[in-house]
């Protein structure tokens, strides 16, 4: 494969200015992630430690193979929500290596509101199960939760993807042969009792691990029986008498050891269907990405420069390089894994859509994973575009993206605007993983355009009513619209609401994608069947 020839001048003032700005974005990201990883209040953490318990990330570390990478999802979930009292949404999820096997870990943080489930906690838990199911990953639940957060029960309990979905997913995955393993470190109360009960293997920790449909206060109120938590549903009850649990752990660390033994005996072998090459570092320093992406989002940069700092040896076999030039397509490798890449260099025109659909078909036929790299302002508009058939050509890209059965991965490098988000495998198109850069933004349209549209609508409405708006009123509306769009389109709003799987440092793109692609090939890659494509 040819090596991409970079045209970036790393000693230019513009590059240095961009890099300095981007480094502030990365520093802000690191600071916020570290803040979220602390967990709950100082009082809650002190009490937890005094009890001799391991913190949630210590538990995860003891379950994972020493020195292995943990692909954590959405450490900034619920950021700037719930008065910032639910860091990480109170739950840690991610893919890690356990006894040599890739597993999904879903771990409650009991220092955050007792590990109770807020709406974003539920969404994060369900998303982790979706990833595990699609990639056929053994799932390990590190439970320590008081159940649903009762003041928000209407947003946690009754709906399709609320609390009960956990157990439906567990039933489905177990039926598919995806192991479900539960380590009961603390409370599994009410509906939460079904997390261990629906698991294939259950490990319960002495004294602290308790499973019961109704806790001591409920039992007292309902039956008059006075009983403590351990006597009601501790490991001596469920390991010796009821049979709900399978393994009796002396403490948190022992539970982690037992878990590793369970995974070691799953008797499963990963069959990688992809033709691998020897891994190779990019020819250019990935940190140069900081200086390539412009401070002003509307300023152009060439996505090839990002690709050159992401793929093995900066080698890229570009497809249709002279046609539909605002969409880049081609083949490369990431740490030895083959990928087909689609990257934006601006607006998607009819020829870009046709080119992208053609390229996706080729990748699906060859069972090659797809990587979408966003910097797209949407599809072209105007009379010329309509006469050229932009709706039907855009639909080809959307159709092939939606139906592509190969593993799909998405990275928002910069903008992901309008229907361009759809054609380029945005969140609604069920890619395996979607990561965003600190420079990214995603919205139905740009804030400036939205401000213009809403101002025009207000002006026309007042005119029909025989009224007029002052310049100050219109300016205020435009300013408020721009500010709202800028905030809700930004990466922190996105990741807080789990519209992505995490904000990442561009330097770590290869590591995240490698872990994602590696996990994806635990599942077979089926043949793709497309629907009717309007020719």
């Amino acid at each position: 494969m040819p090596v991409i020839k970079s045209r970036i001048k790393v000693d230019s003032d513009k590059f240095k200015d961009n890099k300095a700005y981007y480094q502030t974005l990365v520093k802000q990201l690191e600071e916020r992630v570290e803040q979220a990883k602390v967990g709950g209040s100082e009082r809650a953490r002190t009490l937890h430690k005094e009890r001799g318990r391991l913190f949630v990330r210590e538990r995860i570390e003891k379950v994972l193979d020493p020195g292995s990478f943990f692909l954590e999802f959405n450490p900034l979930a619920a950021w700037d929500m719930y008065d910032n009292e639910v860091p990480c949404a109170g739950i840690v999820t991610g893919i890690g290596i356990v006894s040599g096997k890739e597993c999904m870990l879903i771990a409650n943080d009991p220092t955050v509101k007792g590990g109770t489930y807020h709406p974003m906690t539920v969404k994060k838990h369900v998303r982790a199960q979706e990833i595990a199911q699609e990639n056929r990953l053994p799932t390990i639940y590190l439970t320590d939760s008081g159940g649903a957060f009762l003041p928000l029960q209407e947003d946690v309990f009754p709906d399709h993807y609320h609390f009960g979905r956990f157990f439906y997913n567990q039933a489905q995955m177990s039926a598919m042969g995806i192991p479900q393993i539960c380590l009961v470190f603390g409370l599994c109360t009410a509906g939460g009792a079904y997390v261990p009960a629906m698991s294939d293997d259950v490990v319960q920790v002495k004294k602290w691990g308790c499973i019961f449909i109704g806790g001591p206060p409920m039992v007292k109120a309902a039956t008059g029986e006075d009983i403590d938590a351990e006597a009601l549903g501790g490991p001596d009850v469920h390991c010796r008498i009821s049979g709900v649990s399978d393994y009796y752990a002396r403490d948190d660390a022992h539970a982690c050891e037992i878990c590793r033994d369970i995974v070691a005996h799953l008797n499963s072998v990963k069959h990688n269907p992809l033709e691998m090459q020897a891994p190779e570092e990019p020819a250019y320093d990935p940190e140069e990405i900081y200086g390539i992406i412009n401070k002003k989002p509307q300023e152009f940069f060439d996505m090839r420069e990002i690709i050159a700092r992401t793929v093995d040896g900066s080698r890229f076999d570009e497809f249709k390089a002279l046609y539909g030039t605002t969409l880049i397509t081609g083949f490369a490798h990431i740490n030895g894994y083959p990928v087909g890449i689609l990257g934006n260099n601006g607006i998607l025109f009819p020829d870009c859509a046709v080119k992208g659909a053609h390229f996706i078909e080729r990748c699906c036929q060859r069972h090659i994973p797809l990587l979408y790299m966003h910097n797209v302002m949407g599809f072209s508009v105007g009379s010329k575009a309509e006469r050229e058939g932009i709706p039907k050509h855009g639909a080809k890209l959307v159709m092939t993206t939606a139906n592509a059965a190969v593993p799909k991965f998405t990275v928002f490098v910069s903008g992901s605007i309008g229907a361009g988000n759809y054609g380029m495998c945005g969140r609604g198109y069920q890619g395996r993983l979607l990561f965003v850069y600190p420079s990214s933004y995603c919205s139905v349209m740009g804030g400036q355009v939205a401000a213009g549209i809403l101002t025009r609508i207000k002006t026309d409405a007042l005119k029909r009513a025989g009224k007029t708006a002052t310049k100050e009123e219109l300016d205020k509306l435009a300013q408020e619209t721009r500010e709202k769009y800028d905030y809700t389109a930004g990466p922190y709003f996105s990741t807080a609401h789990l519209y992505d799987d995490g904000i990442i440092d561009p330097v770590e793109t290869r590591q995240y994608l490698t872990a994602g692609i590696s996990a994806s090939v635990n599942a077979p890659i089926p043949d793709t069947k497309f629907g009717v494509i309007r020719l």
Side-chain angles (χ1 to χ4, degrees):
M1 287 188 187
V3 176
I4 295 174
K5 185 176 181 180
S6 178
R7 293 177 170 80
I8 295 298
K9 296 179 179 179
V10 297
D11 58 351
S12 69
D13 290 340
K14 184 176 182 180
F15 180 91
K16 292 176 181 178
D17 188 36
N18 286 339
K19 183 176 181 179
Y21 171 71
Y22 213 103
Q23 285 173 329
T24 64
L25 297 182
V26 171
K27 183 179 179 181
Q28 181 187 56
L29 172 63
E30 291 171 346
E31 289 173 348
R32 291 184 175 188
V33 169
E34 287 306 310
Q35 181 180 336
K37 285 182 176 181
V38 169
S41 67
E42 184 177 353
R43 180 179 178 276
R45 287 183 281 114
T46 299
L47 181 60
H48 190 78
K49 188 173 182 179
E50 287 175 349
R51 290 171 172 170
R53 316 303 313 286
L54 294 176
F55 291 112
V56 62
R57 294 178 186 279
E58 293 174 328
R59 293 169 179 173
I60 290 172
E61 185 177 357
K62 286 189 176 296
V63 169
L64 297 178
D65 290 359
S68 61
F69 177 64
F70 181 55
L71 174 56
E72 184 174 350
F73 301 125
N74 296 99
L76 293 176
W79 178 264
D80 212 18
M81 301 174 69
Y82 314 125
D83 297 321
N84 271 322
E85 293 180 349
V86 191
C88 219
I91 190 170
V92 181
T93 64
I95 298 172
I97 310 297
V98 182
S99 296
K101 295 178 174 63
E102 286 153 320
C103 298
M104 174 64 72
L105 278 69
I106 301 175
N108 303 116
D109 186 345
T111 71
V112 179
K113 300 290 185 179
T116 53
Y117 278 79
H118 290 62
M120 284 301 119
T121 322
V122 171
K123 190 174 182 180
K124 187 171 176 179
H125 185 123
V126 171
R127 173 59 182 154
Q129 289 182 312
E130 289 176 345
I131 296 170
Q133 183 169 342
E134 191 165 26
N135 294 289
R136 304 295 194 273
L137 300 176
T139 307
I140 303 170
Y141 304 88
L142 289 75
T143 59
D144 198 340
S145 168
F149 184 66
L150 297 181
L152 297 176
Q153 71 86 25
E154 70 277 13
D155 297 319
V156 169
F157 173 72
D159 205 359
H160 187 71
Y161 287 105
H162 281 175
F163 206 89
R165 188 73 181 193
F166 303 168
F167 321 125
Y168 173 87
N169 288 341
Q170 284 185 254
Q172 290 281 304
M173 285 194 281
S174 185
M176 293 168 66
I178 303 172
Q180 304 293 291
I181 301 164
C182 182
L183 312 184
V184 183
F185 288 102
L187 295 177
C188 288
T189 307
Y194 289 104
V195 174
M198 300 290 291
S199 294
D200 307 344
D201 297 90
V202 180
V203 183
Q204 196 169 357
V205 175
K206 181 181 179 180
K207 183 179 179 180
W208 302 106
C210 294
I211 306 168
F212 31 61
I213 298 299
M218 181 181 290
V219 170
K220 176 68 174 176
T223 69
E225 182 182 7
D226 210 345
I227 190 169
D228 65 31
E230 189 176 4
L232 179 63
D236 284 300
V237 173
H238 290 311
C239 289
R240 300 179 189 277
I241 302 172
S242 73
V244 169
S245 298
D246 309 305
Y247 300 91
Y248 193 116
R250 298 184 301 272
D251 52 30
D252 290 7
H254 186 214
C256 297
E257 291 175 18
I258 295 172
C259 176
R260 290 180 53 77
D261 289 340
I262 292 170
V263 176
H265 294 98
L266 290 180
N267 192 34
S268 61
V269 178
K270 178 179 176 179
H271 298 285
N272 181 2
L274 303 178
E275 184 178 1
M276 303 291 290
Q277 290 190 2
E280 188 179 357
E281 291 297 317
Y284 306 100
D285 184 355
E287 194 170 315
E288 291 174 358
I289 293 174
Y290 297 163
I292 294 168
I293 302 173
N294 292 304
K295 287 170 59 175
K296 296 180 179 179
Q298 64 272 24
E299 289 186 5
F300 173 81
F301 67 87
D302 189 348
M303 189 62 75
R304 292 178 186 84
E305 301 287 356
I306 309 298
I307 295 170
R309 289 153 179 85
T310 303
V311 302
D312 289 7
S314 303
R315 302 179 191 280
F316 185 60
D317 184 11
E318 190 165 350
F319 174 69
K320 285 185 180 289
L322 304 179
Y323 181 79
T325 55
T326 57
L327 179 66
I328 300 164
T329 57
F331 297 100
H333 288 80
I334 295 178
N335 268 326
Y337 289 98
V339 291
I341 299 176
L342 296 91
N344 303 117
N345 265 356
I347 294 170
L348 289 166
F349 295 96
D351 54 358
C352 301
V354 173
K355 170 182 173 178
H358 183 184
F359 181 72
I360 291 167
E361 284 184 313
R362 298 173 82 212
C363 290
C364 290
Q365 187 179 59
R366 301 169 190 180
H367 289 184
I368 296 174
L370 288 164
L371 170 60
Y372 296 80
M373 304 186 76
H374 287 223
N375 184 26
V376 59
M377 298 298 107
F379 286 94
S380 57
V381 299
S383 60
K384 182 176 184 296
E386 298 298 339
R387 289 167 184 168
E388 290 175 348
I390 188 62
K392 72 174 183 180
H393 293 309
K396 294 172 185 175
L397 183 58
V398 173
M399 172 72 80
T400 51
T401 289
N403 284 304
V406 299
K408 297 175 290 190
F409 301 88
T410 305
V411 177
F412 289 1
V413 176
S414 189
S416 180
I417 304 298
N421 173 274
Y422 307 154
M424 290 292 292
C425 198
R427 190 58 147 180
Y429 287 75
Q430 290 190 223
R432 297 296 175 95
L433 296 173
L434 190 159
F435 297 112
V436 303
Y437 283 180
S439 52
S440 69
Y441 54 100
C442 178
S443 64
V444 69
M445 62 183 68
Q448 190 68 31
V449 175
I453 291 173
L454 292 178
T455 300
R456 177 66 180 271
I457 290 172
K458 183 176 181 66
T459 301
D460 290 348
L462 289 171
K463 186 176 181 180
R464 288 193 297 271
K467 301 176 182 178
T468 58
T470 65
K471 182 178 182 303
E472 289 75 17
E473 289 173 332
L474 295 177
D475 287 346
K476 182 181 179 183
L477 173 62
Q479 178 67 18
E480 290 174 348
T481 301
R482 285 192 296 270
E483 289 176 354
K484 181 179 180 181
Y485 266 72
D486 288 345
Y487 173 67
T488 58
Y492 290 100
F493 185 91
S494 169
T495 208
H497 291 80
L498 277 80
Y499 299 156
D500 56 64
D501 294 309
I503 308 172
I504 64 172
D505 181 344
V507 170
E508 297 176 337
T509 305
R510 282 170 54 83
Q511 190 173 22
Y512 278 83
L513 291 175
T514 298
I517 298 170
S518 177
S520 75
V521 294
N522 282 279
I525 300 177
D527 293 333
T528 295
K529 182 178 180 180
F530 296 109
V532 175
I533 295 179
R534 189 176 295 275
L535 300 176

